[in-house]
Amino acid sequence: MDSPSVRSRAISSALRLGVRPLLHYLPGHATGIRTARSTVDAASLLMRPCGGVRIEGLNERPGGDLGERPVKGEWLFPRDAPEGPPGGAVLYLHGGGYVACSPRTHRPITSRLAHDTGLPVLAPRYRLAPEHPFPAPLEDAVTAYRWLLARGVPASGIVIAGDSAGGHLAAVLAGEICRLDLPAPAGLALFSPWVDLTCELSAQAQDGARDPYISAASARRVARLVVGPAGFDDPRLALLTCAWTDVPPVLIQVGGAEVLRTEAEAFADALRSAGADCDLQVWDGQMHVFQILNRVLPEAGEAMREAAEFICSVTHHTSPGRTEAA
């Protein structure tokens, strides 16, 4: 990708000086996590969602074979969305290290996806660590996927997407769908996925990366909260050693400056070695989950358009932009 814009370099420098030191020394315990949650929630109020999208809260108890836990979160519908069950959807799993953030904090991404693809986006509110360590988030993600299927959305029209920890959860969900013999989704779209929760790869890349706000040490502290007493032994956590057979097409976008870049590259190699169709995009000089700044950064806007094209291609859905162009 092209070299970063002046605006991108300025924002990265500000984050490196102001935010990264705070996150690097943030204690890995409940009090520190609560502080991080409050800070992120307050900051999210400054980022407006994309226009032309209708947001509806969701709190529905599936019942039957789907269990008793309610599906919570929100729907984001594009303007003029038809009534009735959608023929496709994006299931978006937000990032935040499995310990912070929510569907609301990620509306700049989810609303943009709904706008650019013309598909509704379901952003579930999955349970967070340390109160609910893994596999609680995965259980909630599986319930959300099964709920979409039960609602009449065909698997061939569903793309599972996510950023950072949500990118990890999206990939883990794809593996779990295969293990449970559920219908496979149409594709996966991963933004700066946190592939290796042991942080071994990111620790090796730490010296060479100029990540504006994430360090391998802080990620490792958070990861211990995510896995809980069970540790890192759950094979579902290890994306690099899974047998990725019959995987749908995958798009991975990662910033060239972020410490998680080597993880994304290793994951792309693992998928391709298993025969998967994987498009890895490394955006030069960009930070972790730069897509969330798509109203500010030209690179983020272009990345979101690339993601929308991928989603439309694998779901065989015609986006509003393509219709207008035609």
Side-chain angles (χ1 to χ4, degrees):
M1 300 298 170
D2 295 336
S3 59
S5 63
V6 173
R7 188 175 298 179
S8 174
R9 291 196 295 270
I11 291 176
S12 294
S13 297
L15 289 171
R16 186 177 296 111
L17 293 173
V19 177
R20 193 179 190 278
L22 173 65
L23 294 181
H24 181 70
Y25 293 107
L26 191 68
H29 52 65
T31 302
I33 295 303
R34 284 195 294 269
T35 301
R37 288 174 181 171
S38 299
T39 302
V40 171
D41 288 344
S44 71
L45 299 176
L46 302 176
M47 296 188 292
R48 294 179 297 156
C50 181
V53 173
R54 184 177 81 255
I55 302 174
E56 295 182 5
L58 174 66
N59 187 351
E60 183 172 322
R61 193 172 297 277
D65 295 336
L66 299 184
E68 294 300 320
R69 285 199 56 79
V71 178
K72 297 182 179 180
E74 59 187 34
W75 274 109
L76 297 97
F77 293 98
R79 181 181 295 164
D80 302 324
E83 297 294 330
V90 177
L91 175 57
Y92 194 88
L93 302 167
H94 68 80
Y98 280 114
V99 298
C101 297
S102 68
R104 183 173 64 106
T105 63
H106 282 64
R107 285 178 183 174
I109 292 180
T110 53
S111 62
R112 181 66 185 264
L113 286 176
H115 177 273
D116 286 2
T117 64
L119 291 169
V121 176
L122 172 61
R125 182 183 292 274
Y126 59 85
R127 287 171 289 172
L128 300 177
E131 298 90 342
H132 305 284
F134 194 88
L138 176 59
E139 293 168 354
D140 293 346
V142 170
T143 299
Y145 185 75
R146 299 176 84 166
W147 182 81
L148 279 176
L149 297 177
R151 197 172 183 268
V153 183
S156 60
I158 299 175
V159 169
I160 302 174
D163 66 279
S164 193
H168 179 270
L169 182 56
V172 174
L173 174 59
E176 192 71 358
I177 287 170
C178 181
R179 283 187 284 270
L180 295 174
D181 200 25
L182 295 171
L188 300 176
L190 312 178
F191 305 140
S192 300
W194 186 17
V195 173
D196 175 26
L197 265 61
T198 68
C199 301
E200 292 179 1
L201 289 176
S202 56
Q204 296 171 15
Q206 184 69 70
D207 292 339
R210 289 184 54 80
D211 195 306
Y213 63 96
I214 289 183
S215 70
S218 59
R220 176 73 179 186
R221 285 197 298 269
V222 171
R224 293 192 184 100
L225 299 176
V226 174
V227 299
F232 295 93
D233 293 334
D234 191 323
R236 293 172 295 185
L237 293 169
L239 300 183
L240 297 178
T241 57
C242 288
W244 292 105
T245 56
D246 300 324
V247 181
V250 181
L251 169 68
I252 301 176
Q253 293 181 345
V254 64
E258 60 177 299
V259 74
L260 298 185
R261 172 179 174 174
T262 55
E263 297 186 11
E265 292 171 335
F267 189 37
D269 289 342
L271 290 170
R272 290 166 179 163
S273 296
D277 177 6
C278 178
D279 179 13
L280 172 67
Q281 298 180 354
V282 180
W283 291 76
D284 187 34
Q286 297 306 309
M287 62 184 181
H288 187 62
V289 195
F290 65 98
Q291 296 88 345
I292 203 166
L293 298 175
N294 62 77
R295 296 177 68 94
V296 179
L297 296 182
E299 296 92 342
E302 179 59 28
M304 293 304 298
R305 286 188 288 273
E306 294 266 358
E309 289 183 7
F310 167 80
I311 291 170
C312 289
S313 68
V314 297
T315 58
H316 306 291
H317 177 78
T318 302
S319 70
R322 288 180 179 177
T323 301
E324 292 172 5

